[in-house]
Amino acid sequence: MKRGFTILAVLTALLLSFSLYAALVLAPTEQTMGNVQRIFYYHVPSAWVAFQLFLINFVASVIYMIRRSTKADIVALVTAEVGVVFCTVVLITGPIWARPVWGIWWTWDLRLTLTLVLWLIYVSYLVLRRFSSSSQTPLLAAVLAIFGALDVPLVYFSIWFFRTQHPAPVIGGGGSLDPRMGWVLVSNWIAFMALAWLICWTRYQLEVAQRAVHEAEAMQSLMEGAR
Amino acid sequence: MNFLTVTRATLAKDIRLEWRSKDAINAMLFFSLLVVVIFSFAFDPTAEESRRIAGGLVWVAFLFAAIVALNQTWARELRNQVLDAYRVSPAPAIPLFLAKAVGNFIFVAALEALMTPLFIAFYRLRPLGPGWQLIPIAILGTWALVVNGTFFAAMSLRTRAREIMLPLLLFPLSIPALLGMVNSTTAILTGETSPAFWIALLVAYDVVFTTACLLLFETVLEAE
Amino acid sequence: MNANHYLYAAYIMTWAIHGTYLYNLARKAKRVRREIEKLKKPAIARSAPEQKS
Amino acid sequence: MKQFGRFAALRGVTAEFSAGKLYVILGDNGAGKTTLLRTMAGLAHSTRGKITVLGSENIQASRAQIGYMAHPSLLYDEMSGMENLRYFAKLYRIPAGEVDRRCREAILSVKLDPDLERPVGQYSQGMRQRMSLARALVNDPELLLLDEPFSNVDARSAAEMAGLVAHARDRGKTVFVVTHQAAQLELYADEFIWMESGRIVNRTSALQGAKG
């Protein structure tokens, strides 16, 4: 397994650097926004990966509710944590892009606002996991994840309608995408997905090790107490 | 039907205790008054402007009052671990949740009823749109906060920083409901747009989360 | 601050955020590895005064 | 086996207990006494292994027949004893007509005055413990689980409580008592169960039995 990991790591590194090169150089410069539009190739794929991770978190939480399998719980924790990291990237690159183009740091763009709300929900998810002192923390976290997922469509529609009342510039530009830009976007997306997979896998092993160590320590203090 | 008797008994017990001790009521009344006065100092707009921002102010003030009330939901049950007495009994979990949620709703609605005249006075509010629709909006909006609030108050029982945990869990999820309440109120006050969409959103929000709370409350209650 | 600066700022920030997270992961991993070492030593050695690393 | 947070509070507690007996569970702090009692009461859940209470594994089914009393009184301080019991009686599906009679009976059985208006919060510790026992008896349960009924109570109240517990057993109830003051029940108890770090290490019929 170790060998497979390193091969994947090298491949991801290659893919990432190629996609970076493609985004900065190969992709054509957009007429209206100029070079700054290239932020698009990092901003949008990060958002897609974040949403994918949160989707996996929801599925893992439902599985945990049904089967109470620790594996599902750890997957839920890991995807939430890494998802928040990718979400932070989106929330930082968004305003950096909006500033030069529209002269404002924040715009109630549909995707950007949805990412912000999701970020808030999953940060509260991680806070709950850290502060919960009950032995049933995974269960409480799973319940919160399900509530979060139920909230997403409501958030989507409320912001969508909110935006029709307060028109705001759209980040990432809707409309048809020039195919020469399209493949660069997709290659970055794949690179980010591979990166996300690597980070999740490492974080998963770390969590498993951490829980084993805590258990061993607890068992030991119990034994020492008994002697 | 035991379900109803338990709900009624728990609700009656809570109201009687609240009426008897009154400690929470007085604290919250004073807190809400403070919130209204401070908001009025902070924002002193002309009549036209006030109609535009009053919706947001009123609901943020109600949100604060609700949070303070929701934090008290399980205080009495915690004092002598009375919750264990309920959990040991054959009574199902849902009546307890419903009684607590309705109790909170009555409590927060009372606070709102007292704060509203102050807002009207301080901001010289006169709705241009159909004013009567503010009632269903208030009911739907308050229930949206209270049903999730009671649920998350039960969830934060199992955490260390209980008082801060409730808002942390409740606010992100309540964003759609808050948008609904604020925008529908503003729509009616300014009379420019129709609040129909926002009211529909609030109804959807209430239905979705009331169901989720009823289905998942037992899991949270039993999470020893 | 012309447009390119914003572009590079965005790319650098992306890797700064990922970097910070991975750095924290590495630190946590080191701590877990140290705890595993500590657990492996026999009980007597364990109660010897721990030097704070 | 109950995985409790990070450590196993109960490991391999396999034991048979018969009805109509008074068992006293002893052991140092952290031996898992309270965890065992709470698991029997259906308040804590065993992650591995199972508990059969009153013939059924699903604790929910037998909750009507369980009475549970713990150190914090499990009563509302602002309400009088009678008001407390009237509320809890409704949780046990006791028909409205019988509620008052059953509550008065339970309070009298612990030698307290049902018409005492004073809120429980102003009771003495001894009286509060006894009212707490009354609450556990309101549904006339077959199984009585008492967690530290004698804690910080003066000698006279402790002796009185011991008498009440024995009386409950004599009326055919199965009683489990977790306590550090086992001496109170030395004359009445049928069996003493010694627990250590999550395991039953010894079962003796007399208190003097060798410990573990």
Side-chain angles (χ1 to χ4, degrees), chain B residues 2 6 9-10 13 16-17 20 76-77 79-82 84-90 218 222 224, chain D residues 38 41-43 45 60 63-64 68 72-79 83 87-88 90-93 135:
Chain B
N2 181 271
V6 172
T10 312
K13 177 256 300 174
R16 193 172 342 113
L17 282 183
R20 191 172 294 176
R76 204 163 283 111
E77 271 67 31
R79 208 159 302 140
N80 297 329
Q81 283 194 331
V82 184
D84 284 353
Y86 190 98
R87 287 175 58 204
V88 161
S89 76
E218 178 151 24
E222 295 300 333
E224 178 74 357
Chain D
R38 286 179 72 88
L43 291 172
H45 313 289
Q60 313 290 75
R63 273 189 164 156
Y68 174 77
S73 65
L74 273 68
L75 297 167
Y76 289 103
D77 283 346
E78 298 91 352
M79 290 205 287
E83 276 174 323
Y87 169 63
F88 287 111
K90 291 198 180 78
L91 300 187
Y92 285 92
R93 293 196 195 84
R135 189 200 62 74

Side-chain angles (χ1 to χ4, degrees), chain A:
Chain A
M1 195 38 199
K2 208 77 191 96
R3 223 164 47 69
F5 182 82
T6 33
I7 294 170
L8 184 60
V10 167
L11 274 179
T12 313
L14 286 176
L15 189 54
L16 277 170
S17 22
F18 170 69
S19 310
L20 177 64
Y21 175 72
L24 289 178
V25 177
L26 296 184
T29 315
E30 214 261 358
Q31 297 80 12
T32 51
M33 287 192 244
N35 260 341
V36 86
Q37 183 268 344
R38 294 175 187 278
I39 299 180
F40 168 77
Y41 299 113
Y42 262 28
H43 176 75
V44 173
S46 298
W48 289 348
V49 168
F51 290 167
Q52 284 167 299
L53 287 168
F54 291 146
L55 185 66
I56 299 170
N57 168 279
F58 171 60
V59 169
S61 302
V62 169
I63 293 171
Y64 180 82
M65 289 292 290
I66 299 162
R67 279 222 309 278
R68 298 290 155 84
S69 85
T70 331
K71 246 204 283 297
D73 169 48
I74 298 179
V75 165
L77 167 63
V78 164
T79 45
E81 207 172 87
V82 180
V84 164
V85 173
F86 275 90
C87 241
T88 314
V89 167
V90 178
L91 294 176
I92 302 287
T93 51
I96 293 179
W97 184 353
R99 184 78 181 98
V101 176
W102 294 291
I104 41 159
W105 283 111
W106 181 258
T107 146
W108 293 104
D109 158 68
L110 183 61
R111 189 185 322 105
L112 201 54
T113 317
L114 189 62
T115 316
L116 172 64
V117 175
L118 272 176
W119 188 83
L120 293 171
I121 291 173
Y122 278 95
V123 165
S124 71
Y125 173 91
L126 295 174
V127 167
L128 173 71
R129 272 188 178 270
R130 180 180 307 256
F131 276 89
S132 165
S133 49
S134 110
S135 66
Q136 302 281 327
T137 309
L139 193 60
L140 298 177
V143 167
L144 184 59
I146 289 169
F147 267 66
L150 288 174
D151 207 46
V152 168
L154 291 161
V155 172
Y156 187 87
F157 286 116
S158 56
I159 299 168
W160 166 74
F161 191 78
F162 180 79
R163 227 166 43 69
T164 54
Q165 286 187 325
H166 309 269
V170 173
I171 291 240
S176 69
L177 196 59
D178 172 339
R180 282 173 299 146
M181 292 186 176
W183 74 268
V184 176
L185 185 70
V186 169
S187 97
N188 269 295
W189 181 31
I190 296 166
F192 279 164
M193 276 198 286
L195 176 68
W197 167 258
L198 283 171
I199 300 176
C200 285
W201 194 81
T202 345
R203 180 67 181 84
Y204 184 94
Q205 303 308 332
L206 178 59
E207 185 63 19
V208 168
Q210 204 165 6
R211 292 191 183 190
V213 161
H214 280 157
E215 203 146 307
E217 272 163 6
M219 205 62 82
Q220 205 153 43
S221 55
L222 209 63
M223 300 307 290
E224 261 153 23
R227 232 194 311 282

